[in-house]
Structures are given as C-alpha cells and as structure tokens.
Amino acid sequence: MVNCSEIIFILVTRTLECIFVLLEYSVDEVSKLYNVFCKAYNTSDNSSSNNTPKTVVIVGGSFAGLAALQELAFGESSNIRIVVIDQKNFFEYTPGVLRLFCDPSQFLTSLGREFDANRYTKNVMFLHGEVTAIHSDTNGLSYIPYNETTTMNLQYDYLIYAAGSTHTYPITASSDERTLLSREEGWIVANRKIKSSQKIVILGAGAVGTELAAEIIDYFPNKEVTLIDASPIVVPLFPKSTQEYAQRWLQKKGVRLLLGKSLDKWDDKSCQFKDGTILQADAVYVCFGGKPNSKPASTQNKSMFTMNGRKSLLVDQYLSCSNNTNIFSCGDVAYPPTEALAQGFHAEIQGIVAAKNVLATIHSSISINNRMTRYPHDICKSSRMPLVYVLSLGKYDGVLGFNNITIPGSIAAIFKWILEYTKVLQMEGKLLGRLIWKFGDAAALFLSRTIVRPPPMP
C-alpha cells in the first residue's frame, strides 16, 4: 500500500530530477565549450617563480581526493600537472551504498561513476593502480597498475595523500572489484545474500549499522533483523533527538535492539556476547571498525610520518604531514589537531585546504605561513567544523541534522536525494554540481559560525 510520504517523495524527486537534467545539459554544454577554448588557447598562469610545471600527485579518488583535484584543476594556477591514482577506476558515493544491499540496480544509475579526465581543462591524468609505498626521501611512490604485477615508480613535487579508510565488505569494495562493472556484480551478489537470509544480525549501531538495519527492514519487512551495540542507544555520536527518533523508528518497524551488550567474538553466521550467550543468524554484518588506509606511508621511512594508535596520519593545522614540507594528508586517513570526524563534508573541506596549501607552497616566498590555510580556522572562520548529516531510515524517512538542529521525516529523505544527486554531479567534475556545492558549502560554513553553532565537544 502506497502511503502519503511515498507519494510526496516520488512526486518531488521526479520533478527535481527533470529540472536537474535540463540544467545539467545546458550547463554541461557551456562547460564543454569553455574546456575546448581553454585547451585550444592554453591561457597559462606564469605567476610561479619557476615556470617548469610542478607535478602534484593525489592518492585517492573519493571525497577528499576529488575535492583537492577540483581545487587545483579549477583554481587560479595552471602551471601544474595533476595525477590522481586510485586502486579503483570509479567514484562510489559511499553514504548511499547501504541501499545497494537491497536494490543493486541503483549503483550504475545513481551511485557509481568512472573517472573522466576530460572533465578538466588542465593537465589531469587518472592512474588505475594500487599505491604500495611512499618514498618521501626521494619524492616518489611505488604502485602496481591494475591487472599487472610489475611495480612502477611515480615521481612527485607535491603529494596529497587522501586514501580514505577501509570498512568491512561489501561496504568497501574487495580487491576483485576494481572496475565499475565488477563492483556492480559484487552488489548483486550482496543482494542475493540478503534475499536468501531470514535472520540478519548487524553489529554496530552507529550511523552505518542503523542505516543498514533500516534499509533491510524497510525493503524486507518480514525478515528478522537484530541490531547490536555496546552503547545503550543507537547513533551515539549524533544529537539526542536524532538518537530517540531513530530508535523509535527501528522499534516500530520490528528491529530487535540489543543495546548495551558487549561482544566477545563473531563470524559470518553467529556472534557471542561477553556473558557467553550465542546468537545464531543466516548473515552477520559488521558495521564498525573502519581502518585508515595508511599502510603505504608506513612501509618505508617510518620516521617521516607520525601515526596514532589507529594508524591515522597525524597532520598539523595546515594538513601537512610531520617532517614533510611537500606532503599533505586529508580525509579519513588523516587526523587533524582539532577533530577527526569521518564525514564526507569534512573530508572535502580538508581536500580543499590541502590543495590550497600546495598552491601556496608552489608560489611561496620567505613568509610561507602567511599564505597557508589553516584547517578549519581559515576555511570556516571558526575552530569547529559544522556537524552536517542525513540519517536515512528506509526509502522515505530519516533525520536531517545541522549542528543542534534536527528535522525528522520525509523532508530528510527528499533532502538526502537532492544531496546525493548533486554531490555525484560535483564529484564527476560537472559544472552544475560544482556550482551548487560552491554555494552549499559556503552557506553551511556561514550558518555554522553565525546562527547555528556546533554543539559542544563531548
């Protein structure tokens, strides 16, 4: 039976989709003409003290890496060569992938896009390969190209390390899913597993576990879904109003909540609590314990990088890695001195800051620190980044949050659709997406420092 929220969601999103498609086509045509003009006439910026192009290598093609790429490629300086290297040949909108457990058809239509260097006017190259080591003493890195076994070397003048973090499969792609089509097949297999499982256990009631439980029970209301966490409440890092709304929603839908329960061990078919109780299931999904992808930085020259206990790269306020003046790190793999919240918005802002500081270093004079951008102080005029999130609760419900303000219900689902659609456009390098989020980011930062300030640190 179709309810009112579903009707509103479908009508609004279909209307917006038509508008966005028309705008995208119009703006994209203008962008193509502009790119042709720039490549034909090559209006270079010769303001650098050294006219030899500098090579900037970006490791990682997700939110932080692509934000850094766009800041460099569409910025004022053109006297640079940009190389983006990623073990995949595509961008995946990770905040939306939990839906693919239940509807894998949306991967190619909405959430996955191949990298395309033709979107950029400057000297941009995408390399498909896995970085294995960073040699900061020689300004080089080692990588293995996709489908090859020979290790190659790549030299850089500046490095932005934005390799992100790895979560359990299939939330993070496996080593066999390095192309768009193989990743789609992986999601189809994950969907078959969900369909064939009656008893499903989800470990971890943070945002990932809560959204996964909501997706499964919304698509398959007759399945037995159990959500387990040592915390006494779901999404413990979010405001209390979001916690309470999400918990009521899950309970109303029939999700079994085992909160305040500590686990001893688990496998694919069961989990055991500290008190010895064993819970059997047809499928167990682990939704906690993301690990920073910092191994290449620790392989050689360990003294050149500083890491914390989680193996995150420690960076200073300029996102520069300690002991390295030409290496910056951003996103989930980095740990800034102010905060290290794993959010796409924060990762993007960090990518922008890292790129700005690369450009500042390239054009530096003696007083380089006067030109460097501090994170987050100079980018948002505050010592705190805003907390911006949309917690999905099935297809037509959720909670929209901005610092201490929360808006639950179908409007959150509509907003998440808008965010997802336009954010994928932006990460593709399309002009419409970049324009929308240029305004969106500025508006969020302005509101956070003036009207709706961030909540106090826990």
Side-chain angles (χ1 to χ4, degrees), residues 205-440:
V208 176
T210 297
E211 287 196 357
L212 180 57
E215 292 288 349
I216 295 172
I217 202 66
D218 191 49
Y219 273 86
F220 306 108
N222 294 324
K223 293 189 182 295
E224 300 174 35
V225 180
T226 302
L227 183 61
I228 302 172
D229 200 291
S231 170
I233 194 166
V234 300
V235 288
L237 297 181
F238 286 171
K240 185 178 179 180
S241 56
T242 299
Q243 297 169 350
E244 293 174 345
Y245 186 88
Q247 191 153 320
R248 287 196 305 269
W249 190 95
L250 292 169
Q251 290 171 332
K252 182 180 178 181
K253 292 288 185 176
V255 174
R256 183 187 180 193
L257 300 179
L258 296 180
L259 303 175
K261 301 283 188 179
S262 297
L263 291 166
D264 184 35
K265 58 184 178 180
W266 58 86
D267 55 33
D268 292 340
K269 296 288 185 178
S270 67
C271 63
Q272 181 173 321
F273 297 96
K274 291 289 187 182
D275 62 6
T277 304
I278 298 175
L279 182 63
Q280 301 290 341
D282 299 314
V284 175
Y285 294 99
V286 181
C287 295
F288 58 81
K291 299 178 181 179
N293 295 325
S294 59
K295 185 177 179 180
S298 62
T299 302
Q300 296 187 17
N301 303 316
K302 294 182 179 180
S303 62
M304 299 300 291
F305 296 93
T306 304
M307 302 184 187
N308 63 10
R310 294 188 64 248
K311 301 298 183 181
S312 299
L313 296 181
L314 298 182
V315 294
D316 60 20
Q317 60 183 340
Y318 305 113
L319 302 185
S320 174
C321 293
S322 59
N323 305 319
N324 294 280
T325 58
N326 64 336
I327 300 179
F328 299 83
S329 186
C330 50
D332 288 0
V333 73
Y335 197 94
T338 51
E339 49 79 27
L341 190 60
Q343 278 201 318
F345 178 60
H346 291 210
E348 287 179 55
I349 298 300
Q350 289 176 25
I352 292 171
V353 170
K356 285 180 178 294
N357 288 335
V358 165
L359 294 175
T361 307
I362 290 174
H363 301 299
S364 66
S365 57
I366 297 176
S367 57
I368 182 175
N369 284 348
N370 292 334
R371 304 185 62 177
M372 298 280 275
T373 301
R374 298 173 301 163
Y375 176 84
H377 308 78
D378 295 332
I379 201 76
C380 65
K381 311 303 178 186
S382 170
S383 61
R384 296 283 308 282
M385 283 286 293
L387 176 65
V388 185
Y389 64 91
V390 182
L391 181 72
S392 289
L393 297 172
K395 291 176 285 186
Y396 310 116
D397 208 336
V399 183
L400 168 62
F402 185 79
N403 290 335
N404 280 320
I405 293 180
T406 56
I407 304 175
S410 57
I411 190 172
I414 293 172
F415 187 86
K416 181 156 189 172
W417 182 92
I418 296 172
L419 187 154
E420 179 180 289
Y421 189 100
T422 57
K423 185 58 68 175
V424 171
L425 288 181
Q426 180 198 8
M427 293 295 105
E428 284 185 275
K430 291 187 175 181
L431 183 57
L432 177 62
R434 299 195 335 259
L435 290 174
I436 289 173
W437 283 103
K438 192 77 171 178
F439 171 79

Side-chain angles (χ1 to χ4, degrees), residues 143-267:
Y143 74 98
I144 302 175
Y146 172 69
N147 260 354
E148 296 184 21
T149 57
T150 304
T151 299
M152 306 288 288
N153 294 316
L154 178 65
Q155 296 300 123
Y156 61 82
D157 294 296
Y158 297 91
L159 175 66
I160 297 177
Y161 193 77
S165 58
T166 296
H167 297 269
T168 54
Y169 181 79
I171 298 171
T172 295
S174 72
S175 58
D176 296 324
E177 298 173 354
R178 300 310 192 198
T179 65
L180 197 68
L181 293 181
S182 62
R183 181 59 166 157
E184 180 194 28
E185 180 59 33
W187 282 118
I188 291 172
V189 172
N191 174 248
R192 290 177 188 150
K193 182 178 179 180
I194 287 286
K195 286 182 175 179
S196 64
S197 301
Q198 178 59 30
K199 295 182 178 180
I200 298 172
V201 169
I202 298 170
L203 307 181
V208 176
T210 297
E211 287 196 357
L212 180 57
E215 292 288 349
I216 295 172
I217 202 66
D218 191 49
Y219 273 86
F220 306 108
N222 294 324
K223 293 189 182 295
E224 300 174 35
V225 180
T226 302
L227 183 61
I228 302 172
D229 200 291
S231 170
I233 194 166
V234 300
V235 288
L237 297 181
F238 286 171
K240 185 178 179 180
S241 56
T242 299
Q243 297 169 350
E244 293 174 345
Y245 186 88
Q247 191 153 320
R248 287 196 305 269
W249 190 95
L250 292 169
Q251 290 171 332
K252 182 180 178 181
K253 292 288 185 176
V255 174
R256 183 187 180 193
L257 300 179
L258 296 180
L259 303 175
K261 301 283 188 179
S262 297
L263 291 166
D264 184 35
K265 58 184 178 180
W266 58 86
D267 55 33

